[in-house]
Amino acid sequence: MIELEGVPELIDPVMVAAFEGWNDAGDAASAAVAHLDREWKGEVFAALDAEDYYDFQVNRPTVWLDNGVRKITWPTTRLSVVRVGGEKPRDLVLVRGIEPSMRWRSFCNELLGFAHELGVEMVVILGALLGDTPHTRPVPVSGVTSDPDLARTMDLEETRYEGPTGIVGILQEACTHAGVPAVSLWAAVPHYVSQPPNPKATLALLNRLEDLVGLHIPLGELPEDARAWQLGVDQLAAEDSEVAEYVQTLEEARDTAELPEASGEAIAREFERYLRRREPGPGAGPGVATEGTDPSYLRDAPSDRTRPPKPAQPGPEAVPGTEAEVEVSESGEAGSGAEQPDADAGAETDARDGEDGKAAESDKPDKTDKAGKAEKNAEASDSGKGSGSGTDADSEPPVPGEGDRPEGPEGSQDTEK
């Protein structure tokens, strides 16, 4: 049993762990935990015995001077605690170390013992891997878990990975078997710039951790460091045409992969929504008249536009040219030699013909009187001449009188023509 001295009771603690080595591309994960420890001034309360877990030929100790006194730092894993205040205070237990060289099961059991004594509610393990991702795009961070219930409640992916694994995968499985909720956050680091540090990947991990645990994490100068890092890589890529072309290929592949996939059901729903927007009413489509609907209120299609007929108004003057058409028919019956008005010119002279038609109607009685006087004069001349005059009448065509020449709008139109 682990006994902790000087560690206060924690409030809803979450353990956040990261390990240098195989699961820490660009030192992005270990740098994230170091940032939390630095910003919140974590206090180290325990360290694992380096003799039990590390090969010092692989992870060598370092020597340094402290006021002229030589000291040795042994590679190990340390635990610290930070108190996070605010409206919803929550404490963190930070685990930062190096991936052990041996006895991984004992290593994980020891960490789980600390988690049990501190009342840890969830374990979050940070990792970083090399991937085919461009440095110019946001760093993708995936959250995975082995717990199906946790995957549903926290919108995470249930891990399906098969293959070699590191201490991150082993610790996550140990937590699952011990009944402790565990989540792994993985940041993808461009493989062509895998050298540490990578502040952009570190920033992406902290942002995802902030959303996961519901804490506001102070970022300090990390955003500015991330921008400076990307600018430096941009300059290096611009100096090499092959690298620039490769980065462009990765960008195109990334942009294509991030396009939203449209399923058949999604397309059908969108099409139904589109049709509902266009429907003027239940059972009626655009430009289609239904029973009991006035078609004059419906819009026709853009092509083949036709104006609906205007409703008739009372009175003979409502439609210009109506009286003129009646007069034309009467004039045609009065004289067979009368010329009919041109159909194309009728639209231009409808109004004038209507007025002339009224005048022609008023002149009809005068035309009848003149025709009767002309007939009487012809009979009187025939009776005075005798038989010889009849021969002259047959040989010479009669001079047409005023009654034989149609008057009115037709005559005026011929004159104008």
Side-chain angles (χ1 to χ4, degrees):
M1 180 177 179
I2 300 175
E3 295 182 0
L4 301 176
E5 296 180 0
V7 178
E9 185 177 355
L10 304 181
I11 302 175
D12 301 333
V14 174
M15 178 178 283
V16 181
F19 304 94
E20 300 176 12
W22 197 61
N23 300 130
D24 192 24
D27 291 352
S30 57
V33 175
H35 177 84
L36 297 175
D37 187 78
R38 182 173 56 253
E39 291 293 328
W40 278 323
K41 297 178 174 51
E43 298 178 0
V44 177
F45 65 89
L48 304 186
D49 190 351
E51 293 281 349
D52 295 336
Y53 305 113
Y54 294 100
D55 183 354
F56 296 142
Q57 290 183 333
V58 177
N59 300 290
R60 294 185 177 273
T62 58
V63 178
W64 54 287
L65 293 176
D66 183 14
N67 295 325
V69 180
R70 295 176 66 85
K71 292 186 176 182
I72 298 176
T73 301
W74 298 92
T76 187
T77 297
R78 294 177 173 85
L79 289 82
S80 58
V81 62
V82 295
R83 313 301 302 269
V84 182
E87 297 180 358
K88 295 181 179 180
R90 189 169 207 176
D91 297 333
L92 298 180
V93 178
L94 304 180
V95 179
R96 181 189 177 193
I98 304 173
E99 184 179 58
S101 304
M102 62 192 74
R103 304 177 63 185
W104 283 15
R105 286 176 292 184
S106 299
F107 179 87
C108 293
N109 288 334
E110 192 168 351
L111 291 179
L112 285 174
F114 283 104
H116 177 72
E117 291 296 326
L118 295 171
V120 169
E121 297 182 349
M122 182 172 63
V123 176
V124 181
I125 313 169
L126 305 183
L129 51 85
L130 299 178
D132 295 332
T133 179
H135 70 280
T136 55
R137 297 293 186 267
V139 176
V141 178
S142 57
V144 296
T145 182
S146 300
D147 188 350
D149 296 333
L150 191 63
R152 287 190 298 268
T153 57
M154 304 193 70
D155 193 19
L156 301 171
E157 298 178 13
E158 189 175 355
T159 179
R160 292 287 185 267
Y161 172 75
E162 295 180 351
T165 187
I167 191 61
V168 173
I170 298 300
L171 180 58
Q172 178 173 330
E173 289 303 314
C175 292
T176 302
H177 288 293
V180 179
V183 177
S184 297
L185 301 180
W186 291 90
V189 174
H191 65 86
Y192 56 91
V193 281
S194 59
Q195 298 81 2
N198 192 320
K200 187 174 182 179
T202 300
L203 179 62
L205 283 172
L206 292 176
N207 289 335
R208 184 62 184 273
L209 178 64
E210 187 177 53
D211 297 336
L212 186 66
V213 300
L215 292 177
H216 175 69
I217 299 176
L219 300 178
E221 298 180 355
L222 196 56
E224 189 64 30
D225 294 341
R227 285 189 290 267
W229 176 86
Q230 179 170 334
L231 181 61
V233 178
D234 288 340
Q235 294 174 352
L236 293 176
E239 296 175 359
D240 192 329
S241 59
E242 294 183 359
V243 174
E245 184 178 355
Y246 179 67
V247 172
Q248 184 178 1
T249 303
L250 293 178
E251 291 174 345
E252 294 174 355
R254 173 75 177 276
D255 296 341
T256 303
E258 289 185 350
L259 290 177
E261 297 180 359
S263 63
E265 295 182 357
I267 295 176
R269 286 194 300 267
E270 185 63 25
F271 185 66
E272 292 175 357
R273 190 179 302 112
Y274 169 77
L275 292 179
R276 284 195 298 269
R277 292 194 194 106
R278 289 181 56 87
E279 287 177 358
V288 179
T290 57
E291 184 178 358
T293 304
D294 186 2
S296 63
Y297 291 97
L298 298 175
R299 292 186 178 181
D300 297 324
S303 59
D304 242 3
R305 291 188 66 131
T306 57
R307 296 179 179 271
K310 296 181 179 180
Q313 298 180 359
E317 298 180 0
V319 183
T322 304
E323 296 181 356
E325 293 176 359
V326 175
E327 180 60 28
V328 168
S329 61
E330 292 178 355
S331 302
E333 293 176 358
S336 60
E339 184 178 352
Q340 298 295 332
D342 192 358
D344 295 336
E348 300 177 357
T349 59
D350 282 345
R352 186 174 64 253
D353 291 349
E355 296 176 358
D356 294 341
K358 292 180 181 180
E361 288 181 355
S362 61
D363 293 341
K364 282 181 182 180
D366 297 337
K367 294 193 318 182
T368 306
D369 296 341
K370 290 179 181 179
K373 291 180 182 180
E375 291 177 358
K376 291 180 181 180
N377 293 335
E379 292 176 358
S381 60
D382 291 341
S383 60
K385 289 182 180 180
S387 60
S389 59
T391 306
D392 296 336
D394 295 336
S395 60
E396 295 180 5
V399 178
E402 295 178 355
D404 297 331
R405 188 182 185 92
E407 295 180 359
E410 292 81 3
S412 63
Q413 273 191 342
D414 293 341
T415 307
E416 291 178 2
K417 291 181 179 179

PDB file of all heavy atoms in Angstrom, residues 135-136 227-241 243-244:
ATOM      1  N   HIS A 135       2.280  20.322 -42.449  1.00  0.00           N
ATOM      2  CA  HIS A 135       2.481  21.232 -41.313  1.00  0.00           C
ATOM      3  C   HIS A 135       1.642  22.492 -41.443  1.00  0.00           C
ATOM      4  O   HIS A 135       1.488  23.238 -40.478  1.00  0.00           O
ATOM      5  CB  HIS A 135       3.961  21.620 -41.205  1.00  0.00           C
ATOM      6  CG  HIS A 135       4.436  22.522 -42.299  1.00  0.00           C
ATOM      7  ND1 HIS A 135       4.781  22.057 -43.556  1.00  0.00           N
ATOM      8  CD2 HIS A 135       4.606  23.870 -42.344  1.00  0.00           C
ATOM      9  CE1 HIS A 135       5.152  23.082 -44.311  1.00  0.00           C
ATOM     10  NE2 HIS A 135       5.054  24.178 -43.599  1.00  0.00           N
ATOM     11  N   THR A 136       1.087  22.749 -42.649  1.00  0.00           N
ATOM     12  CA  THR A 136       0.316  23.968 -42.889  1.00  0.00           C
ATOM     13  C   THR A 136      -1.138  23.833 -42.467  1.00  0.00           C
ATOM     14  O   THR A 136      -1.876  24.826 -42.508  1.00  0.00           O
ATOM     15  CB  THR A 136       0.375  24.320 -44.375  1.00  0.00           C
ATOM     16  OG1 THR A 136      -0.067  23.191 -45.152  1.00  0.00           O
ATOM     17  CG2 THR A 136       1.795  24.670 -44.795  1.00  0.00           C
ATOM     18  N   ARG A 227       3.177  29.591 -34.110  1.00  0.00           N
ATOM     19  CA  ARG A 227       3.223  30.367 -35.355  1.00  0.00           C
ATOM     20  C   ARG A 227       4.656  30.518 -35.858  1.00  0.00           C
ATOM     21  O   ARG A 227       4.915  30.413 -37.067  1.00  0.00           O
ATOM     22  CB  ARG A 227       2.578  31.735 -35.139  1.00  0.00           C
ATOM     23  CG  ARG A 227       1.058  31.701 -35.079  1.00  0.00           C
ATOM     24  CD  ARG A 227       0.472  33.097 -35.095  1.00  0.00           C
ATOM     25  NE  ARG A 227       0.748  33.804 -33.847  1.00  0.00           N
ATOM     26  CZ  ARG A 227      -0.062  33.830 -32.805  1.00  0.00           C
ATOM     27  NH1 ARG A 227      -1.192  33.154 -32.846  1.00  0.00           N
ATOM     28  NH2 ARG A 227       0.251  34.504 -31.715  1.00  0.00           N
ATOM     29  N   ALA A 228       5.584  30.753 -34.949  1.00  0.00           N
ATOM     30  CA  ALA A 228       6.984  30.878 -35.355  1.00  0.00           C
ATOM     31  C   ALA A 228       7.516  29.556 -35.912  1.00  0.00           C
ATOM     32  O   ALA A 228       8.285  29.548 -36.886  1.00  0.00           O
ATOM     33  CB  ALA A 228       7.829  31.346 -34.169  1.00  0.00           C
ATOM     34  N   TRP A 229       7.106  28.454 -35.313  1.00  0.00           N
ATOM     35  CA  TRP A 229       7.536  27.143 -35.809  1.00  0.00           C
ATOM     36  C   TRP A 229       7.029  26.898 -37.223  1.00  0.00           C
ATOM     37  O   TRP A 229       7.782  26.459 -38.100  1.00  0.00           O
ATOM     38  CB  TRP A 229       7.012  26.060 -34.863  1.00  0.00           C
ATOM     39  CG  TRP A 229       7.318  24.661 -35.324  1.00  0.00           C
ATOM     40  CD1 TRP A 229       8.451  23.953 -35.093  1.00  0.00           C
ATOM     41  CD2 TRP A 229       6.456  23.814 -36.084  1.00  0.00           C
ATOM     42  NE1 TRP A 229       8.363  22.714 -35.665  1.00  0.00           N
ATOM     43  CE2 TRP A 229       7.136  22.598 -36.282  1.00  0.00           C
ATOM     44  CE3 TRP A 229       5.177  23.961 -36.617  1.00  0.00           C
ATOM     45  CZ2 TRP A 229       6.587  21.537 -36.996  1.00  0.00           C
ATOM     46  CZ3 TRP A 229       4.625  22.910 -37.329  1.00  0.00           C
ATOM     47  CH2 TRP A 229       5.318  21.716 -37.502  1.00  0.00           C
ATOM     48  N   GLN A 230       5.754  27.192 -37.482  1.00  0.00           N
ATOM     49  CA  GLN A 230       5.213  26.976 -38.827  1.00  0.00           C
ATOM     50  C   GLN A 230       5.880  27.886 -39.837  1.00  0.00           C
ATOM     51  O   GLN A 230       6.155  27.471 -40.979  1.00  0.00           O
ATOM     52  CB  GLN A 230       3.694  27.199 -38.821  1.00  0.00           C
ATOM     53  CG  GLN A 230       3.057  27.008 -40.191  1.00  0.00           C
ATOM     54  CD  GLN A 230       1.546  27.002 -40.132  1.00  0.00           C
ATOM     55  OE1 GLN A 230       0.963  26.666 -39.095  1.00  0.00           O
ATOM     56  NE2 GLN A 230       0.906  27.354 -41.231  1.00  0.00           N
ATOM     57  N   LEU A 231       6.163  29.130 -39.458  1.00  0.00           N
ATOM     58  CA  LEU A 231       6.833  30.047 -40.377  1.00  0.00           C
ATOM     59  C   LEU A 231       8.229  29.533 -40.732  1.00  0.00           C
ATOM     60  O   LEU A 231       8.664  29.603 -41.884  1.00  0.00           O
ATOM     61  CB  LEU A 231       6.917  31.442 -39.751  1.00  0.00           C
ATOM     62  CG  LEU A 231       7.583  32.530 -40.602  1.00  0.00           C
ATOM     63  CD1 LEU A 231       6.823  32.731 -41.904  1.00  0.00           C
ATOM     64  CD2 LEU A 231       7.663  33.842 -39.833  1.00  0.00           C
ATOM     65  N   GLY A 232       8.935  28.997 -39.743  1.00  0.00           N
ATOM     66  CA  GLY A 232      10.263  28.457 -40.018  1.00  0.00           C
ATOM     67  C   GLY A 232      10.221  27.263 -40.952  1.00  0.00           C
ATOM     68  O   GLY A 232      11.062  27.143 -41.860  1.00  0.00           O
ATOM     69  N   VAL A 233       9.245  26.374 -40.767  1.00  0.00           N
ATOM     70  CA  VAL A 233       9.120  25.223 -41.658  1.00  0.00           C
ATOM     71  C   VAL A 233       8.713  25.682 -43.058  1.00  0.00           C
ATOM     72  O   VAL A 233       9.170  25.114 -44.069  1.00  0.00           O
ATOM     73  CB  VAL A 233       8.115  24.215 -41.080  1.00  0.00           C
ATOM     74  CG1 VAL A 233       7.934  23.029 -42.024  1.00  0.00           C
ATOM     75  CG2 VAL A 233       8.575  23.722 -39.721  1.00  0.00           C
ATOM     76  N   ASP A 234       7.880  26.710 -43.157  1.00  0.00           N
ATOM     77  CA  ASP A 234       7.512  27.249 -44.469  1.00  0.00           C
ATOM     78  C   ASP A 234       8.741  27.734 -45.230  1.00  0.00           C
ATOM     79  O   ASP A 234       8.882  27.484 -46.435  1.00  0.00           O
ATOM     80  CB  ASP A 234       6.515  28.407 -44.307  1.00  0.00           C
ATOM     81  CG  ASP A 234       5.136  27.921 -43.896  1.00  0.00           C
ATOM     82  OD1 ASP A 234       4.847  26.731 -44.096  1.00  0.00           O
ATOM     83  OD2 ASP A 234       4.357  28.737 -43.372  1.00  0.00           O
ATOM     84  N   GLN A 235       9.621  28.409 -44.538  1.00  0.00           N
ATOM     85  CA  GLN A 235      10.828  28.916 -45.191  1.00  0.00           C
ATOM     86  C   GLN A 235      11.742  27.782 -45.634  1.00  0.00           C
ATOM     87  O   GLN A 235      12.308  27.820 -46.734  1.00  0.00           O
ATOM     88  CB  GLN A 235      11.556  29.859 -44.239  1.00  0.00           C
ATOM     89  CG  GLN A 235      10.790  31.140 -43.929  1.00  0.00           C
ATOM     90  CD  GLN A 235      11.469  31.990 -42.878  1.00  0.00           C
ATOM     91  OE1 GLN A 235      12.460  31.567 -42.260  1.00  0.00           O
ATOM     92  NE2 GLN A 235      10.950  33.190 -42.652  1.00  0.00           N
ATOM     93  N   LEU A 236      11.868  26.758 -44.812  1.00  0.00           N
ATOM     94  CA  LEU A 236      12.694  25.615 -45.200  1.00  0.00           C
ATOM     95  C   LEU A 236      12.099  24.876 -46.390  1.00  0.00           C
ATOM     96  O   LEU A 236      12.826  24.441 -47.299  1.00  0.00           O
ATOM     97  CB  LEU A 236      12.859  24.665 -44.016  1.00  0.00           C
ATOM     98  CG  LEU A 236      13.678  25.188 -42.826  1.00  0.00           C
ATOM     99  CD1 LEU A 236      13.660  24.170 -41.682  1.00  0.00           C
ATOM    100  CD2 LEU A 236      15.113  25.479 -43.251  1.00  0.00           C
ATOM    101  N   ALA A 237      10.778  24.720 -46.405  1.00  0.00           N
ATOM    102  CA  ALA A 237      10.134  24.027 -47.522  1.00  0.00           C
ATOM    103  C   ALA A 237      10.238  24.825 -48.810  1.00  0.00           C
ATOM    104  O   ALA A 237      10.355  24.250 -49.901  1.00  0.00           O
ATOM    105  CB  ALA A 237       8.666  23.758 -47.183  1.00  0.00           C
ATOM    106  N   ALA A 238      10.223  26.143 -48.714  1.00  0.00           N
ATOM    107  CA  ALA A 238      10.305  26.972 -49.919  1.00  0.00           C
ATOM    108  C   ALA A 238      11.678  26.882 -50.569  1.00  0.00           C
ATOM    109  O   ALA A 238      11.811  27.121 -51.784  1.00  0.00           O
ATOM    110  CB  ALA A 238       9.977  28.417 -49.575  1.00  0.00           C
ATOM    111  N   GLU A 239      12.689  26.539 -49.812  1.00  0.00           N
ATOM    112  CA  GLU A 239      14.042  26.444 -50.366  1.00  0.00           C
ATOM    113  C   GLU A 239      14.277  25.149 -51.127  1.00  0.00           C
ATOM    114  O   GLU A 239      15.269  25.040 -51.854  1.00  0.00           O
ATOM    115  CB  GLU A 239      15.055  26.568 -49.221  1.00  0.00           C
ATOM    116  CG  GLU A 239      15.029  27.918 -48.519  1.00  0.00           C
ATOM    117  CD  GLU A 239      15.951  27.954 -47.315  1.00  0.00           C
ATOM    118  OE1 GLU A 239      16.584  26.892 -47.032  1.00  0.00           O
ATOM    119  OE2 GLU A 239      16.041  29.001 -46.666  1.00  0.00           O
ATOM    120  N   ASP A 240      13.425  24.166 -50.964  1.00  0.00           N
ATOM    121  CA  ASP A 240      13.567  22.877 -51.643  1.00  0.00           C
ATOM    122  C   ASP A 240      12.298  22.613 -52.447  1.00  0.00           C
ATOM    123  O   ASP A 240      11.206  22.462 -51.880  1.00  0.00           O
ATOM    124  CB  ASP A 240      13.799  21.764 -50.622  1.00  0.00           C
ATOM    125  CG  ASP A 240      14.243  20.463 -51.271  1.00  0.00           C
ATOM    126  OD1 ASP A 240      13.847  20.200 -52.420  1.00  0.00           O
ATOM    127  OD2 ASP A 240      14.996  19.705 -50.618  1.00  0.00           O
ATOM    128  N   SER A 241      12.431  22.573 -53.774  1.00  0.00           N
ATOM    129  CA  SER A 241      11.255  22.404 -54.630  1.00  0.00           C
ATOM    130  C   SER A 241      10.592  21.046 -54.420  1.00  0.00           C
ATOM    131  O   SER A 241       9.362  20.933 -54.478  1.00  0.00           O
ATOM    132  CB  SER A 241      11.642  22.574 -56.106  1.00  0.00           C
ATOM    133  OG  SER A 241      12.632  21.618 -56.472  1.00  0.00           O
ATOM    134  N   VAL A 243      10.506  19.254 -51.625  1.00  0.00           N
ATOM    135  CA  VAL A 243       9.754  19.291 -50.366  1.00  0.00           C
ATOM    136  C   VAL A 243       8.471  20.112 -50.529  1.00  0.00           C
ATOM    137  O   VAL A 243       7.403  19.729 -50.041  1.00  0.00           O
ATOM    138  CB  VAL A 243      10.635  19.853 -49.237  1.00  0.00           C
ATOM    139  CG1 VAL A 243       9.815  20.026 -47.961  1.00  0.00           C
ATOM    140  CG2 VAL A 243      11.826  18.951 -48.991  1.00  0.00           C
ATOM    141  N   ALA A 244       8.569  21.249 -51.241  1.00  0.00           N
ATOM    142  CA  ALA A 244       7.386  22.088 -51.450  1.00  0.00           C
ATOM    143  C   ALA A 244       6.317  21.337 -52.238  1.00  0.00           C
ATOM    144  O   ALA A 244       5.118  21.423 -51.930  1.00  0.00           O
ATOM    145  CB  ALA A 244       7.780  23.371 -52.174  1.00  0.00           C
TER     146      ALA A 244
END
